[in-house]
């Protein structure tokens, strides 16, 4: 959901702010924070960490640059007209000493790549017509030793309500550009002659092609991240709108982007105009933050309900664990009466939400209220299933969320249940205290934890299917407050993801 542009991996790359664009400014209202449903903030420590990976992009840019043939000619006293051409230019033995990044208050990112050492190889063809009509034409291999500093000044802009980095401000500074002919390292008049001829032209060509290739590599990466981000916030008919709600912000300490966070389901969309976001809410010294509004989470729950996803089925061992939470005589009798002696393998329990869940974010956790139905059916051979138990209950549960070992864990810390409808073949009147007490206790002690655990596992599987598990998430914290939730964490960048992508794409 973030970047300095988009969701999740989008956040994970200062590499991607190397994309050129002729971006037009987006138009936002006078109170853009009011429409903010999701916020991403990447702080300076994260930018410094990500900058270490910038070398991969620079190296790929040099390796994949298609250098054109360089030609020229010059009149020389005594020698006449001298013409030359450099062809088959390739890069070998590339290394980078260090890379630095600075966040600037004028909404810009400055990346400085120090001492890029590269060895260019190719073929030099030259010829000249002497003053005495003597014509000589030669072709020799050459090597060019270079030491270059690269500077990129990136502006973050808004185009079509997406963050678009403009990196057209690209400079190469040459500290060393030495030409060697046929492997001869000793200076000679021929080498000096052509060094003087081609040095200026070669610098211009290298600057143009390397900067162009940096932009091309970064564009490829950006498209990759855009596709990944779009996939992350889409699951079948449920889509989260993460277009910008206001201009991205860069300070000396962080990069921050504000997104609408509206949920689109089929032809309907949620509306947000009273967001409580303020930059002052994000204060802890962490590398990465996500701020999510209560509205966005409630809208996701509503879409999941409308899409028929809030349904859980239990059978076999899981059903047995649910109904045999306590090994007491009273419980055993109650279970036998409900299931009429039928095996758990021949029974199934279904739990589903009858109404759209109402979500309220509070300091104690996420409070969820919903009218829930529970149905236990006995599967009879050759006959219609027998409904042994049906209940409708008003459930209120407070859930605390944590993320550890690449798993989302939902833990109910407080819950209450009020039964609205009760039908049970073992208790037609609904007045048997032993069955009533058993079911009430079973729901609170085993049923609600089982449902929340299943939901946590399902959400973990969904996030991992979007490749979240590829990232090294360190000490994540999920903090709920009145009206919003903050996810804050440190992270390690999975270099293999970037390397594998570059190898496949370039």
């Amino acid at each position: 959901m973030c970047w300095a542009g988009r969701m999740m991996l989008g956040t994970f790359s200062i590499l991607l702010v190397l994309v050129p664009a002729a971006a037009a400014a987006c138009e936002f209202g006078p109170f853009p924070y009011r429409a903010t449903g999701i916020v991403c903030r990447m702080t300076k420590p994260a930018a410094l960490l990500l900058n270490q990976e910038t070398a991969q992009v620079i190296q790929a840019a040099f390796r994949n640059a298609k250098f054109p043939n360089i030609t020229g000619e010059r009149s020389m006293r005594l020698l006449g007209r001298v013409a030359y051409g450099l062809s088959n230019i390739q890069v070998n033995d590339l290394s980078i000493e260090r890379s630095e990044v600075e966040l600037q208050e004028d909404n810009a990112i400055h990346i400085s790549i120090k001492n890029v050492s590269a060895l260019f190889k190719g073929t030099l063809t030259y010829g000249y017509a002497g003053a005495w009509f003597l014509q000589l034409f030669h072709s020799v291999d050459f090597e060019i030793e270079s030491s270059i500093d690269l500077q990129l000044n990136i502006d973050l802009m808004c185009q079509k309500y997406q963050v678009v980095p403009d990196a057209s401000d690209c400079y190469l500074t040459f500290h060393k550009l030495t030409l060697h002919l046929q492997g001869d390292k000793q200076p000679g008049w021929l080498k000096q002659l052509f060094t003087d001829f081609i040095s200026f032209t070669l610098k211009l060509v290298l600057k143009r092609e390397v900067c162009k290739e940096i932009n091309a590599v970064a564009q490829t990466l950006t498209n990759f991240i855009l596709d990944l981000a779009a996939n992350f916030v889409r699951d079948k008919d449920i889509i989260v709108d993460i277009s910008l709600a206001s201009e991205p912000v860069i300070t000396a300490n962080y990069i921050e982007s504000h997104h609408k966070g509206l949920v689109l389901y089929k032809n309907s969309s949620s509306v947000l105009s009273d967001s409580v976001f303020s930059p002052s809410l994000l204060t802890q010294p962490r590398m990465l933050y996500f701020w999510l509004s209560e509205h966005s989470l409630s809208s996701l729950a509503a879409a999941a309900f409308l899409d028929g996803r809030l349904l859980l089925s239990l059978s076999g061992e899981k059903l047995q664990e649910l109904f045999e939470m306590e090994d007491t005589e009273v419980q055993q009798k109650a279970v036998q009466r409900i299931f009429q002696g039928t095996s758990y393998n021949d029974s199934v329990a279904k739990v589903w939400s009858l109404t759209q869940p109402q979500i309220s974010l509070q300091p104690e956790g996420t409070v969820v209220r919903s009218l829930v139905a529970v149905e236990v059916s006995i599967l009879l051979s050759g006959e219609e299933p027998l409904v042994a138990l049906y209940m409708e209950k008003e459930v209120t549960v407070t859930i605390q969320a944590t993320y550890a070992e690449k798993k989302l864990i939902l833990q109910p810390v407080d819950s209450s249940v009020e039964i609205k409808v009760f039908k049970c073949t073992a208790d037609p009147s609904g007045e048997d205290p032993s069955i009533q007490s058993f079911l009430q206790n079973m729901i609170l002690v085993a049923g609600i934890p089982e449902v929340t655990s299943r939901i946590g596992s399902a959400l973990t599987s969904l996030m991992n299917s979007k490749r979240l598990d590829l990232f090294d998430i360190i000490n994540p914290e999920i903090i709920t407050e009145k009206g919003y939730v903050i996810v804050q964490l440190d992270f390690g960048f999975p270099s293999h993801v970037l390397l594998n992508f570059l190898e496949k794409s370039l």
Side-chain angles (χ1 to χ4, degrees), residues 301-302 304-306 308-312 350-358 368-374 390-395 451 455:
F305 169 75
L306 293 173
R309 302 194 187 195
L310 302 184
L311 170 67
L312 175 65
K350 294 182 180 180
V351 182
W352 70 96
S353 183
L354 293 169
T355 60
Q356 175 180 318
Q358 302 299 312
V368 182
R369 296 181 179 88
S370 184
L371 182 63
V372 177
V374 177
Y390 177 82
M391 290 189 298
E392 294 179 7
K393 53 189 179 177
E394 191 81 45
V395 177
V451 170
I455 293 174

Side-chain angles (χ1 to χ4, degrees), residues 118-376:
L119 184 66
F120 297 89
K121 292 185 177 182
T123 302
L124 169 65
T125 302
Y126 64 95
Y128 55 92
W132 298 279
F133 304 102
L134 175 65
Q135 294 186 351
L136 297 176
F137 299 96
H138 298 279
S139 182
V140 297
D141 293 333
F142 72 85
E143 293 180 349
I144 299 174
E145 292 182 283
S146 68
S147 178
I148 307 167
D149 287 349
L150 173 64
Q151 293 183 344
L152 297 168
N153 297 307
I154 302 110
D155 293 325
L156 291 188
M157 309 172 71
C158 179
Q159 185 180 49
K160 297 181 179 179
Y161 294 95
Q162 296 180 357
V163 172
V164 178
D166 179 2
S168 56
D169 194 357
C170 173
Y171 296 94
L172 267 63
T173 302
F174 291 83
H175 299 297
K176 177 181 180 182
L177 193 68
T178 305
L179 175 69
H180 301 294
L181 299 178
Q182 294 181 318
D184 179 14
K185 306 299 182 181
Q186 300 300 319
W189 73 270
L190 185 62
K191 185 187 76 170
Q192 185 62 47
L193 173 67
F194 284 106
T195 297
D196 292 341
F197 280 5
I198 69 175
S199 178
F200 179 74
T201 304
L202 181 60
K203 288 179 181 180
L204 291 178
V205 170
L206 292 180
K207 175 188 180 301
R208 182 180 68 243
E209 297 304 320
V210 169
C211 286
K212 182 174 71 175
E213 187 60 29
I214 287 173
N215 290 332
V217 172
Q219 182 66 67
T220 301
L221 283 170
T222 299
N223 292 336
F224 168 68
I225 297 305
L226 286 172
D227 292 343
L228 187 63
N231 180 57
F232 195 94
V233 296
R234 173 194 292 268
D235 189 61
K236 298 181 180 177
D237 290 329
I238 301 176
I239 305 169
V240 179
D241 179 4
I242 52 175
S243 57
L244 289 179
S246 62
E247 293 283 355
V249 175
I250 300 179
T251 73
N253 298 316
Y254 61 81
I255 303 171
E256 186 172 277
S257 56
H258 316 102
H259 308 267
K260 294 178 181 177
L262 303 179
V263 176
L264 312 177
Y265 177 70
K266 294 185 176 178
N267 294 325
S268 62
S269 172
S270 58
V271 178
L272 175 63
S273 60
D274 57 352
S275 175
V276 298
F277 174 73
S278 169
S280 62
L281 297 176
L282 308 181
T283 59
Q284 299 299 317
R286 304 303 299 271
M287 295 172 68
L288 185 63
Y289 298 84
F290 296 103
W291 183 95
L292 299 97
S293 69
E294 181 179 283
H295 177 87
S296 295
L297 293 180
S298 295
S299 299
L300 278 172
F305 169 75
L306 293 173
D307 205 45
R309 302 194 187 195
L310 302 184
L311 170 67
L312 175 65
S313 295
L314 298 171
S315 60
E317 293 183 1
K318 281 296 180 181
L319 190 58
Q320 183 175 2
E321 291 175 6
L322 186 66
F323 277 87
E324 295 186 1
M325 57 182 180
E326 297 178 4
D327 189 16
T328 65
E329 184 177 352
V330 174
Q331 174 197 302
Q332 291 175 2
K333 289 182 178 180
V335 171
Q336 289 175 359
R337 291 177 62 188
I338 292 172
F339 286 89
Q340 303 177 24
T342 306
S343 167
Y344 290 110
N345 291 326
D346 296 326
S347 306
V348 61
K350 294 182 180 180
V351 182
W352 70 96
S353 183
L354 293 169
T355 60
Q356 175 180 318
Q358 302 299 312
I359 291 180
S360 173
L361 297 176
Q362 302 293 334
E364 298 79 19
T366 302
V367 182
V368 182
R369 296 181 179 88
S370 184
L371 182 63
V372 177
V374 177
E375 182 181 272
V376 176

Side-chain angles (χ1 to χ4, degrees), residues 384-448:
E384 290 292 323
L386 173 65
V387 178
L389 173 67
Y390 177 82
M391 290 189 298
E392 294 179 7
K393 53 189 179 177
E394 191 81 45
V395 177
T396 302
V397 57
T398 301
I399 300 172
Q400 291 182 353
T402 56
Y403 187 86
E405 298 180 353
K406 300 186 182 297
K407 295 179 181 178
L408 178 65
I409 302 168
L410 303 180
Q411 180 66 42
V413 294
D414 185 32
S415 57
S416 63
V417 174
E418 181 182 353
I419 297 178
K420 299 291 187 179
V421 176
F422 180 84
K423 297 177 182 179
C424 180
T425 56
D427 181 18
S429 66
E431 297 178 355
D432 188 319
S434 63
I435 289 182
Q436 295 289 320
S437 175
F438 163 71
L439 290 175
Q440 187 83 1
N441 193 40
M442 183 269 293
I443 292 169
L444 291 172
V445 176
I448 291 176

